[in-house]
């Protein structure tokens, strides 16, 4: 079974602080997706990273794919209460498979 | 925007009952998926379908079956519900083209088996 580990599992920070969430595996992925899930809703795609070393920015969120395509990070600058939610990474193997492997998630609480 | 609709937000059933969870998507996606989400375990794939009447087992198919008679509808069936099937169930859909395609999720069905 492929394993995708996320850390930390829980994070409680004050508004305005910075944070980084990590997603690690021993497997090489063709791409990695990041989702955010808010209470009572399904996960919503934030970004897909495809190329090793790729960096993508989405406002205050910065996503990086490791050079070897085995790991990824999500960095949030000046966190806001609206960033509160469950962040999930999901690894893909591309055209040879329909499956995504999801990490167990990082639950983020940003206190006002 | 893609809309994935799950028929119930909350459902309470009794042990041994046959339970049907319904999911409909409106964007003509080829792939549909059923996951369960439990605290600390992330999303685990139960079954997926890449075409009408086609299905493949995911990582935890035991105790479940699925039906896809029409492209837009994917049903999850608990043949004889048990308490360990109490969970949040999420349906998703995606375009064909492999797992690089993003998945679009419904808002989930929280199922309690008493």
């Amino acid at each position: 079974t492929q394993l995708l580990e996320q850390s930390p599992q829980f994070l409680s920070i004050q508004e305005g602080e910075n944070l980084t969430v990590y997603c690690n595996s021993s497997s090489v992925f063709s791409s990695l997706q990041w989702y955010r899930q808010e209470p009572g809703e399904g996960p919503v795609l934030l970004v897909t990273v495809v190329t090793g070393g790729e960096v993508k920015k989405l406002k205050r969120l910065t996503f990086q794919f490791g050079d070897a395509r085995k790991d990824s990070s999500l960095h949030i600058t000046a966190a806001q209460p609206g960033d509160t939610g469950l962040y999930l990474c999901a690894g893909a193997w591309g055209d040879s498979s329909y499956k995504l492997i999801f990490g167990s998630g990082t639950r983020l609480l940003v206190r006002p | 925007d893609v809309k994935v609709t799950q028929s119930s937000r909350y459902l309470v059933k009794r042990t041994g009952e046959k339970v049907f969870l319904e999911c409909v998507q409106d964007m003509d996606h080829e792939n549909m998926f059923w996951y369960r989400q439990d605290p600390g375990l992330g999303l685990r794939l139960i079954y997926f379908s890449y075409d009408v009447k086609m299905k493949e087992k995911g990582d935890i198919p035991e105790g479940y079956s699925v039906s896809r008679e029409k492209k837009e509808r994917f049903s999850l069936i608990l043949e004889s519900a048990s308490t360990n099937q109490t969970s949040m169930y999420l349906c998703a859909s995606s375009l064909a083209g492999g797992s690089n395609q993003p998945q679009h999720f419904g808002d989930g069905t929280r199922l309690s088996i008493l």
Side-chain angles (χ1 to χ4, degrees):
Chain A
T1 302
Q2 307 293 343
L3 193 61
L4 202 54
E5 294 186 355
Q6 280 188 246
S7 61
Q9 286 189 332
F10 302 98
L11 200 51
S12 178
I13 61 172
Q14 203 71 35
E15 181 177 359
E17 292 183 11
N18 301 332
L19 67 116
T20 302
V21 175
Y22 299 94
C23 179
N24 295 293
S25 176
S26 57
S27 300
V28 176
F29 295 109
S30 61
S31 69
L32 202 133
Q33 301 172 16
W34 283 94
Y35 292 81
R36 180 169 67 207
Q37 185 178 19
E38 299 187 21
E41 298 181 8
V44 175
L45 180 73
L46 296 173
V47 79
T48 301
V49 285
V50 179
T51 306
E54 181 178 6
V55 176
K56 280 193 173 178
K57 292 195 173 186
L58 190 66
K59 296 184 181 177
R60 294 174 292 99
L61 279 61
T62 302
F63 304 84
Q64 185 161 9
F65 203 11
D67 291 340
R69 291 185 286 126
K70 292 183 177 181
D71 56 88
S72 182
S73 64
L74 158 60
H75 182 79
I76 301 179
T77 303
Q80 305 290 312
D83 296 326
T84 293
L86 178 68
Y87 289 82
L88 295 159
C89 64
W93 282 279
D95 292 347
S96 63
S97 170
Y98 297 99
K99 290 174 59 173
L100 286 176
I101 293 296
F102 281 85
S104 57
T106 293
R107 192 165 295 280
L108 172 65
L109 173 64
V110 182
R111 305 185 306 274
Chain B
D1 272 354
V2 177
K3 183 79 173 168
V4 179
T5 303
Q6 294 184 230
S7 55
S8 304
R9 293 299 299 269
Y10 301 94
L11 209 52
V12 180
K13 296 290 182 181
R14 296 213 172 268
T15 303
E17 281 192 66
K18 192 168 186 176
V19 181
F20 293 85
L21 302 183
E22 306 287 345
C23 175
V24 177
Q25 51 95 3
D26 66 358
M27 283 301 291
D28 204 34
H29 283 175
E30 289 79 10
N31 300 330
M32 295 189 76
F33 306 83
W34 274 107
Y35 295 90
R36 63 177 285 176
Q37 183 176 27
D38 300 289
L41 296 177
L43 273 68
R44 293 181 291 167
L45 183 65
I46 304 171
Y47 267 98
F48 68 99
S49 169
Y50 51 90
D51 202 351
V52 175
K53 298 191 186 293
M54 305 303 290
K55 60 187 179 185
E56 285 197 23
K57 293 180 180 179
D59 299 316
I60 52 165
E62 296 78 19
Y64 303 95
S65 63
V66 290
S67 173
R68 194 165 180 201
E69 296 297 318
K70 293 184 178 182
K71 191 175 185 179
E72 67 270 19
R73 186 179 297 270
F74 193 35
S75 303
L76 179 69
I77 304 151
L78 285 65
E79 298 291 343
S80 178
S82 63
T83 55
N84 63 12
Q85 292 178 309
T86 290
S87 188
M88 169 69 86
Y89 289 86
L90 289 164
C91 175
S93 70
S94 72
L95 288 167
S99 54
N100 284 336
Q101 293 291 336
Q103 294 188 12
H104 301 265
F105 287 85
D107 286 338
T109 296
R110 188 166 291 282
L111 175 64
S112 295
I113 306 296
L114 305 180

